[in-house]
Amino acid sequence: MSVQLYSYEEVSKHNNRNDLWMIIDGKVYDITKFQDEHPGGEEVLIDEGAKDATGSFEDVGHSEDARQILKSYYIGDIDPKSQPIKLTKQTEQTIAPGPQGK
């Protein structure tokens, strides 16, 4: 069975409440359905979603139970040929572009 590979760019597209992916230790997780169950609230997942959240995940000191739960959301690995990209904070709901400038 081959593992599905995803680029950082692909993961970055899954960046909102209705479609949220995360990278931890080179593995990609679709955590969309976990947001309501997360003990720390959905906001922290949205803030750390769509990118490599390994550091944040490890800093919190998740339990073995949390690590087991995480496994159920695994969908593939980060393509080792892929390069991380810089993300900008996105709003959950964008209706139309706002005025540019200050």
Side-chain angles (χ1 to χ4, degrees):
M1 181 177 198
S2 72
V3 172
Q4 178 70 42
L5 295 179
Y6 297 97
S7 68
Y8 284 94
E9 183 177 1
E10 175 66 21
V11 172
S12 74
K13 295 175 185 176
H14 302 271
N15 59 11
N16 64 68
R17 171 88 174 94
N18 298 316
D19 181 20
L20 190 62
W21 291 9
M22 175 179 286
I23 304 163
I24 299 175
D25 291 327
K27 298 188 181 307
V28 180
Y29 300 91
D30 180 347
I31 56 168
T32 307
K33 294 180 181 176
F34 181 66
Q35 293 173 80
D36 291 333
E37 300 172 36
H38 187 252
E42 70 181 38
E43 192 62 36
V44 68
L45 294 180
I46 293 169
D47 287 347
E48 293 298 324
K51 62 184 176 187
D52 190 331
T54 303
S56 297
F57 183 83
E58 295 301 338
D59 286 349
V60 171
H62 284 88
S63 67
E64 273 306 309
D65 287 342
R67 293 172 190 281
Q68 287 300 320
I69 291 168
L70 184 63
K71 288 180 182 180
S72 67
Y73 296 97
Y74 172 76
I75 58 170
D77 289 352
I78 278 294
D79 185 339
K81 297 175 188 168
S82 175
Q83 295 295 313
I85 61 172
K86 183 169 175 70
L87 295 177
T88 58
K89 179 79 172 153
Q90 296 194 9
T91 58
E92 189 172 329
Q93 211 174 29
T94 302
I95 297 170
Q100 299 297 321
K102 295 182 181 175

